Amino acid sequence: QQIKSFILDPKLVERYSKKMHLAFCAYNGAGRDAVPRLVKALKINKLDIISVMNPIDGMFPAFDDLKSPKGKKVYQQPDPGDKFAAKKAVAEYIKEFGEKQFAEVDMLIGTDPDADRVGVVVPVPKSHREIYGADHTLLDADTAWSILLWYRMEKMKAAKTDFGKYFFVQS
């Protein structure tokens, strides 16, 4: 309920929720329960969960191929905002569900093991794929927050909000 209270335009979510196709990667962590519950509460019906990365496992078995320069196994928490982790999630999704279905996904959401960070893989518009060199791209935290801030400010502007009493801080 708390997270749902942050939604600025519930009617927009309602309008698109039935059409959205999401994928989710818990990276062997706690988000495996919270994110599907939130998606369901938003009435988004199409959620594909990457099963190999869904069970809680602090050894992060999906990252067994992550090695140090000396060839030793590295036990590192996956960061969903890291390109390596995003590529791994995409590869595991395609292995489980297929490339054709991945092409239909509107967003692949990944949460780190304690679910306090998120990474979002989104399709690149066809007109920009030559620039990006890919069909999908990872939105890093700075980009995702910039988009959210822009959206919030646009909503506030439409509501004729007095911007003189607001500020934002970058750290």
Side-chain angles (χ1 to χ4, degrees):
Q1 287 306 106
Q2 178 66 22
I3 294 171
K4 282 178 65 178
S5 74
F6 294 128
I7 295 173
L8 298 174
D9 192 342
K11 289 184 189 286
L12 183 69
V13 173
E14 188 177 316
R15 189 167 82 209
Y16 287 100
S17 64
K18 302 284 186 252
K19 300 174 189 175
M20 290 200 69
H21 183 173
L22 302 180
F24 175 60
C25 180
Y27 291 108
N28 300 116
R32 73 190 198 117
D33 293 327
V35 172
R37 237 180 27 242
L38 176 62
V39 168
K40 185 177 179 181
L42 294 174
K43 297 185 176 131
I44 297 171
N45 297 326
K46 187 75 171 151
L47 176 66
D48 299 331
I49 297 171
I50 302 169
S51 62
V52 73
M53 293 199 206
N54 204 46
I56 291 179
D57 188 335
M59 300 307 280
F60 313 111
F63 290 86
D64 280 345
D65 55 350
L66 187 60
K67 307 265 190 237
S68 73
K70 294 183 180 181
K72 293 190 176 188
K73 170 83 175 88
V74 176
Y75 295 103
Q76 178 180 345
Q77 270 197 14
D79 176 356
D82 177 74
K83 288 182 182 188
F84 175 80
K87 284 180 184 178
K88 187 70 174 175
V90 169
E92 292 296 341
Y93 181 92
I94 289 171
K95 193 186 305 180
E96 184 170 349
F97 296 98
E99 280 190 54
K100 185 178 178 194
Q101 191 158 320
F102 184 65
E104 298 171 5
V105 168
D106 295 304
M107 183 184 313
L108 187 154
I109 302 165
T111 54
D112 73 321
D114 62 350
D116 67 346
R117 292 175 288 158
V118 68
V120 181
V121 176
V122 295
V124 173
K126 287 181 182 173
S127 60
H128 289 73
R129 289 182 181 169
E130 188 176 314
I131 297 166
Y132 280 83
D135 294 347
H136 289 77
T137 190
L138 172 68
L139 293 182
D140 61 28
D142 290 341
T143 303
W145 278 112
S146 295
I147 292 168
L148 287 170
L149 179 62
W150 169 83
Y151 180 74
R152 182 167 194 89
M153 291 176 74
E154 285 295 313
K155 290 302 235 178
M156 291 170 74
K157 186 169 90 178
K160 301 192 186 309
T161 301
D162 175 11
F163 280 96
K165 58 185 177 180
Y166 292 94
F167 65 95
F168 66 93
V169 176
Q170 180 181 354
S171 68

